[in-house]
Amino acid sequence: MHLSKKCSFFKVVLVALLIVALLQLFYLSFLSKFHGKQQRYRYSELFGGTGKKNAHTEKNSRKEHMRYSMSTGGMFDSSGQYRVYRNLIKSDFTSNQALGSEGRSNVLTLCTHTTINNLYHLESLVQRWQNPLSVAVFAHGQDVKFATALVFALSFFCPQIQALVDFHLVCLSGEYASFPEHDREHLSGLEDCASVFSRLETHRDKYKNYAIHGNVSYPNNLLRNVARSGTEASYVLVIDVDMAPSTDLHPQFLAMIARRPPAGDEVFVLPAFEIRHVRKLPASKPELVQLYQVGEVRPFYEELCPRCQAPTNYSQWVNNHARDAGPLDVAYTLAWVDPWEPFYIGPSAVPLYDEDFKQYGFNRISQACELHVAGYRFSVLTSAFVVHRGFKVQGEFHAKKDEENKHNRVLFRNFKAALKTKYLSSNRHC
C-alpha cells in the first residue's frame, strides 16, 4: 500500500514536469513567432510601408531619394579612383530647406568623415552638436553593402539623425552601392536607434587607423571635400568623427557673428585637445581647464607632433580667464607658421583640401598652408574648443604610417611650389 502511494506521487510529479515542459515549449514557440512578426513588421516599415494611406510619407520619400541616388551610379572623383554618392540620404533639415519650408537658414554645418568602423562615434557627436551635420563615409569591398544598410537604418530609426544628418558615400571606382531592400543579413535584428549603434559597435575594431584591408588608401581630403560640398551653409567646421566641439558652440558662434560681422578673410580657430579614454568629454572651458591642469587633458598631438599645434599658444588661451564668462568672442589673432594645422570654423569659400593627399601625413597642414598664402588670418576664440577621444600615442598607429608620411612629405613640397604659381600676387609662403 505504501509503495503504491509512492508510485502515484511520482506519476503526479512526472505529469506536472511534462506539463511545465510543454508550456515552456509553447511559450518559446510563441516568442519566436512574435519576434518573427515584429521583424516582418520592421521590414515592412523600412521598405514597404504599413498599408495605411499616407503613413510614413517622409520616410518613404527618404527611401525613394536613396534609391534614386544609387540608381545614378554616383560620380567619379577627379582622379577616377573613387566613386562618390553625394547626398545619399538627406536630412529633414536639408530637404525642408530645398522645398523652402524650413523656418531657419543653415549658417554653420559640422562636416566630418569616417570609415564604417568609426561611425559609432556619430551618436555622441550628434548629441553634442544638435545642429546640421554633413557626414562622408568611406567603404570598401563588403563594407559598401554594410555601410549602405546601416546608414539607411540610422536615418530611419534615429530621429535626431533623421532630422539633422546628411550622408554621403565614397567607395572605389569599381564598386557600386545598391539599395539595401533585401539586405536581411545586415538589417536583421535592428529595432530601434540603440540597436543600430550596437551593430556599428561590433565593427569598431575592424581596422587600425588607416590600415584598410586590400591595401586601399583612405582618401581623407576627398571625404572632407565631399562633406563640405554637401552643405549650403555659410560657415563650416571640419573635424574628424572621433572629436567633439564644446557644448553650445553653434548658438554661441551665431550670436557672435551677429554682434561682430566677420571679415571674409578670417577663420576662427578652436584650440584642439585630447583626453584620456576613460574620461567624460568636457562640455565647457572651465571643465576642460580643470582636467588640463591635472594632466587628464593635453594639447592635441602633444606626444606625436607638439609643433603641429603649439602655435595655438595654449598657455595664453588656458590662462585667459577675463573674457571666459562673457559671450564667445575672438581672444587673439595669430599669423600662420609652419607646421600649424589648426581646426577652425571658416567661411564656405575657403580653399578645398588637396585630394592628392591620402592616408597619414600633411593632409590638413597643406590646406592651412594655402589659407595662409591666400591671405587668411587666424582668430582664436575665447572659450570654444574641440577635443579628441583618447590620447594619441606612439605605437598605436598602423605599420605603414612612417612610409605614408614620407610619401606625403614629397607631395607637400610639390604642393607648396604650386601655390607660388596659384597665388602670384601673394607675398606669403609656407
Side-chain angles (χ1 to χ4, degrees):
M1 187 74 172
H2 181 67
L3 185 62
S4 176
K5 284 181 179 179
K6 238 180 176 181
C7 287
S8 297
F9 173 75
F10 281 123
K11 284 179 182 178
V12 170
V13 171
L14 185 61
V15 169
L17 288 172
L18 284 170
I19 291 171
V20 170
L22 287 170
L23 286 172
Q24 284 181 323
L25 285 171
F26 176 77
Y27 179 66
L28 289 171
S29 175
F30 170 77
L31 282 181
S32 177
K33 288 178 181 178
F34 180 71
H35 180 70
K37 191 174 181 180
Q38 275 191 317
Q39 285 299 299
R40 286 192 296 274
Y41 175 73
R42 282 307 190 189
Y43 282 115
S44 176
E45 273 195 308
L46 277 165
F47 300 112
T50 61
K52 295 178 183 178
K53 194 174 182 181
N54 297 323
H56 305 292
T57 303
E58 288 186 2
K59 290 178 179 178
N60 285 336
S61 174
R62 184 177 295 103
K63 176 188 71 174
E64 292 309 316
H65 173 80
M66 184 180 187
R67 193 194 297 273
Y68 171 76
S69 296
M70 291 182 168
S71 70
T72 66
M75 296 178 64
F76 290 150
D77 76 316
S78 60
S79 72
Q81 296 179 54
Y82 299 95
R83 186 181 301 275
V84 179
Y85 293 90
R86 282 187 171 86
N87 291 307
L88 187 68
I89 295 179
K90 288 185 178 181
S91 65
D92 293 343
F93 184 95
T94 300
S95 298
N96 289 337
Q97 276 205 314
L99 294 171
S101 57
E102 183 62 38
R104 61 193 177 107
S105 60
N106 186 8
V107 178
L108 171 61
T109 291
L110 190 154
C111 302
T112 191
H113 60 99
T114 182
T115 51
I116 197 69
N117 62 306
N118 274 325
L119 189 56
Y120 72 95
H121 285 298
L122 185 62
E123 182 176 24
S124 57
L125 184 56
V126 171
Q127 289 171 356
R128 172 63 69 97
W129 183 243
Q130 295 186 7
N131 280 283
L133 292 97
S134 181
V135 181
V137 180
F138 178 72
H140 166 57
Q142 291 300 313
D143 281 349
V144 176
K145 189 176 181 182
F146 180 76
T148 306
L150 270 290
V151 160
F152 182 67
L154 285 171
S155 72
F156 183 89
F157 287 118
C158 305
Q160 204 171 20
I161 289 176
Q162 184 184 118
L164 297 171
V165 181
D166 295 332
F167 285 103
H168 322 278
L169 180 69
V170 177
C171 56
L172 296 182
S173 58
E175 299 172 334
Y176 291 87
S178 58
F179 190 70
E181 187 164 8
H182 304 294
D183 190 1
R184 291 180 177 248
E185 175 191 356
H186 296 123
L187 293 171
S188 177
L190 301 181
E191 299 176 349
D192 52 26
C193 190
S195 66
V196 183
F197 277 108
S198 293
R199 184 69 53 82
L200 287 170
E201 284 268 4
T202 64
H203 274 61
R204 64 183 293 176
D205 298 320
K206 188 168 185 180
Y207 308 130
K208 188 174 184 180
N209 302 116
Y210 298 139
I212 302 172
H213 66 84
N215 202 28
V216 171
S217 294
Y218 181 69
N220 33 34
N221 277 358
L222 168 63
L223 292 163
R224 289 178 176 119
N225 289 341
V226 168
R228 277 183 53 181
S229 68
T231 177
E232 295 183 1
S234 306
Y235 292 88
V236 290
L237 166 60
V238 182
I239 60 174
D240 297 341
V241 76
D242 54 359
M243 304 183 84
S246 47
T247 300
D248 295 329
L249 173 57
H250 189 278
Q252 289 171 358
F253 181 78
L254 266 57
M256 184 190 80
I257 61 173
R259 292 190 323 269
R260 173 196 180 282
D265 61 353
E266 186 176 26
V267 298
F268 300 95
V269 175
L270 308 173
F273 296 85
E274 53 190 35
I275 187 171
R276 290 189 194 278
H277 273 297
V278 295
R279 287 288 189 176
K280 180 183 175 183
L281 294 180
S284 64
K285 183 175 179 180
E287 288 181 22
L288 180 133
V289 169
Q290 191 174 23
L291 292 168
Y292 181 84
Q293 289 170 340
V294 296
E296 295 299 295
V297 162
R298 66 186 188 184
F300 186 61
Y301 256 44
E302 184 178 64
E303 184 174 325
L304 299 177
C305 182
R307 294 173 59 239
C308 293
Q309 296 296 326
T312 302
N313 198 337
Y314 286 93
S315 178
Q316 181 176 350
W317 187 83
V318 167
N319 293 304
N320 185 9
H321 303 299
R323 300 163 68 189
D324 288 351
L328 186 67
D329 207 341
V330 171
Y332 47 91
T333 299
L334 299 169
W336 183 86
V337 292
D338 188 20
W340 193 22
E341 44 183 29
F343 293 92
Y344 62 86
I345 295 172
S348 57
V350 296
L352 292 172
Y353 294 84
D354 189 285
E355 295 174 9
D356 287 340
F357 292 91
K358 304 178 184 72
Q359 294 290 102
Y360 183 87
F362 297 92
N363 48 77
R364 284 195 310 106
I365 190 178
S366 53
Q367 200 248 7
C369 163
E370 181 166 359
L371 288 179
H372 170 66
V373 174
Y376 284 84
R377 50 200 172 101
F378 297 79
S379 298
V380 182
L381 295 177
T382 50
S383 54
F385 58 87
V386 292
V387 60
H388 176 271
R389 294 173 178 85
F391 281 174
K392 293 272 192 181
V393 297
Q394 297 286 356
E396 287 192 357
F397 281 84
H398 55 295
K400 292 189 175 181
K401 168 189 168 258
D402 292 338
E403 180 183 329
E404 293 161 4
N405 199 48
K406 185 177 179 181
H407 170 77
N408 284 346
R409 188 184 299 277
V410 175
L411 281 182
F412 188 48
R413 289 197 197 106
N414 297 333
F415 175 81
K416 289 190 289 185
L419 289 181
K420 294 176 182 177
T421 304
K422 185 175 181 179
Y423 297 95
L424 288 171
S425 61
S426 176
N427 59 2
R428 298 181 175 186
H429 58 86
C430 52

